[in-house]
Each structure stands twice: as C-alpha cells, then as structure tokens.
Amino acid sequence: MPSINSPLGARPSRFRRERVLVVGCGDVGMRAAGLLRGRLQLIALTSSPARVPQLRQAGLTPIVADLDQPASLRRLSGLATRVLHLAPPARVEEGARWWRDARTLALARALRLRSLPSAFVYGSTSGVYGDCGGALVAETRALRPETPRAHRRVDAERTVRWLGRAGVAVRILRIPGIYAPDREGGTPRERLRRGTPVLRAEDDVYTNHIHADDLARACVAALWRGGPQRAFHASDDSEIKMGDYIDLAARLYGLPLPPRIARDEAQAQLPLSLLSFMGESRRLDNTRLKRELRLRLRYPTVAAGLASG
C-alpha cells in the first residue's frame, strides 16, 4: 500500500477491483470510509433500512442484514476482498453466555461459506489486558480481561484468529479511549461542566487515547499492511493519567478544574461505568503501529488533538 498520507496513492487496475466491506458504520467506520471513497468499491453492512439513503450518499453500497440474525448474513459470503469489522458485541444479560461475542462468530461463519477475503481488520479494545498497574504494555502481554465487555472482546479476537487460520490475513487493533472535538461526546467538555470528580494523584490511573481521525487511518492502513494474525495498539504517544487529561481539557476550554477525590470516595459517588475505567491502569506501547503499519500520527498527543478543535 502507498503512503498513508495519501491512503491509496496510484490506483492500478487490480486495486480498483478491490471491494471493502465495512461492518459497523459508526463514527470511526464512516471516517475510514471517507478515506477510501472514490478509490474502490465500498460496501456497508447495516441493520437499519433507515440508514440506507445516508450510506448511499456517503458513497457506500448498503447491505441490509443483522449481525444478531445469522441467516441474514449469508449474502455477505464471497462479497468483499477486505473487511473492516468495528461493530461492538451485543450486551448479554447475566446468566446467559455473557462472555461470548455471537456477532463476530456469525460474521466469520458467513464469510467462510464462499471465497474468503484476503484481509480482515477487527477493532478490539485495550481493556483485554485488564489492570496492568501502570506498566508499559506490548501486544505480547497475556490477556486478562476483568469486565464482561472485555471478555467479549477476547472471545471476538479468538474468533477472528480462527478465521485467520483459514487463510485470511487477520489484524487486530486494540483501541483505547477514542476522542475528537467533532465526535459526539468526544471530549471531556460536558463532564467538566457537570463537575464530575477525578481521582487524586496518588490514586489516579494511566489512560490511553487515540484521535478518531488517526484511528480511521490506522484501520485503512491495517487493511493492506501488517503481518497476518497480528495485533496492534491503535494508541497515540501520550503517557498521561486520567485526572491530568481532564485537567488539560479544562485549561484548554477555560473551565474550572474538576475536584480531586480519594478512590473510596469515588466508589460512593461515581457510576459503575466510569469506575470501571478508573480501576485499570496501563501505558500502551504503539511501536508496532508506527513501525509495521507505518502510520504517522497527525495527533501524537491528546494536547495536540484537543487543541485541534
């Protein structure tokens, strides 16, 4: 693949015949599609007929099917030469097989019915490592998920590796917190306006980030670059604790700094969804992302990314 700064560069005839299937056309999926639009055939999986006009206007060919209805996915077999899978697992109630990602399994089974794609990129989460005590983490670290959400992502990774053993070049992007000033809820601005507390320095945790535009570029790069059965940290260069990230945003936006509280106070005051992120601390090593996918980050730090908006 040519330089990522011009994602597809020159377009030989064989490249123009490429067909990329995007599964999960949310914010990042649409950003990735925008980088590819006009250069190859783009196919979008959607479970919502109401989204069909929007997807067509964006230059994608919509296929209406549902990852929660495996029989509807049969029409995807043999359709694409490359697949970008960004759809999250379904939430599973307690007592069911809460650790499984049935959606990714259904997709993989459908793709195996006929000719396989040459490459499959899966958007996972850095949460698969669990709490690392602030350590610098490489992609070779053992997976120790601690939340149901992370367990389902680990299950999805196993499924796509199974697809890889059938001959597909599988690349897994382990993604931390996604932000961008033009992304809905993509900055801490509203959190700051609510005055939500952060942990005091001695209790704080390292958190990792990636600008949505850089993540989209990483997705596009992984469709063509990187070895098979390879995982990559789709993270920027920042080494910053959560409270310091929120403080940085407050200064940029001219808003009051959030209150700092002890961990035991946080457990009494904050929702479980936020507490889960405060219970895990790690620093992601993104060497592979830059060396093997040859991605030059446009926003190498959260300071650069937040200031861009």
Side-chain angles (χ1 to χ4, degrees), residues 109-133:
R109 284 175 169 168
L111 294 175
R112 290 194 64 164
L113 291 175
R114 293 177 61 190
S115 58
L116 289 166
S118 60
F120 186 104
V121 177
Y122 176 62
S124 184
T125 174
S126 59
V128 296
Y129 298 111
D131 181 29
C132 303

Side-chain angles (χ1 to χ4, degrees), residues 26-86:
D27 176 63
V28 174
M30 295 302 288
R31 289 175 195 247
L35 295 173
L36 295 166
R37 186 168 51 240
R39 305 171 187 269
L40 42 66
Q41 184 178 356
L42 284 168
I43 306 162
L45 176 67
T46 180
S47 60
S48 171
R51 285 204 71 192
V52 166
Q54 176 196 3
L55 293 169
R56 283 185 177 149
Q57 186 175 13
L60 295 92
T61 300
I63 299 291
V64 179
D66 193 335
L67 291 172
D68 295 322
Q69 302 293 328
S72 72
L73 303 177
R74 294 178 64 89
R75 61 194 301 195
L76 299 179
S77 61
L79 191 64
T81 57
R82 299 174 193 270
V83 177
L84 173 60
H85 175 26
L86 299 174

Side-chain angles (χ1 to χ4, degrees), residues 222-294:
L223 284 168
W224 277 268
R225 295 179 185 158
Q229 301 281 48
R230 198 74 161 152
F232 301 88
H233 291 157
S235 181
D236 68 16
D237 298 335
S238 300
E239 288 195 7
I240 191 168
K241 290 189 174 182
M242 182 180 292
D244 295 333
Y245 169 64
I246 304 299
D247 283 355
L248 170 66
R251 294 187 179 98
L252 283 171
Y253 301 146
L255 294 171
L257 296 179
R260 295 270 186 161
I261 60 176
R263 181 170 293 277
D264 55 353
E265 294 178 87
Q267 292 182 359
Q269 295 184 33
L270 299 178
L272 289 175
S273 57
L274 185 54
L275 285 171
S276 67
F277 292 104
M278 292 181 168
E280 298 181 2
S281 182
R282 54 188 168 263
R283 294 172 293 136
L284 296 178
D285 183 347
N286 64 3
T287 301
R288 277 190 190 177
L289 179 79
K290 294 185 288 187
R291 180 178 298 164
E292 298 181 24
L293 297 188
R294 304 201 298 277

Side-chain angles (χ1 to χ4, degrees), residues 30 65 85 142 194 202 206 219:
M30 295 302 288
H85 175 26
R194 291 193 300 268
E202 55 266 42
Y206 280 100
C219 290

Side-chain angles (χ1 to χ4, degrees), residues 30 54 56 98 104 136 147 155 159 175 182 185 194 199 268:
M30 295 302 288
Q54 176 196 3
R56 283 185 177 149
W98 55 268
T104 297
L136 184 65
T147 66
D155 183 65
T159 296
I175 303 168
D182 62 345
R194 291 193 300 268
L199 292 173

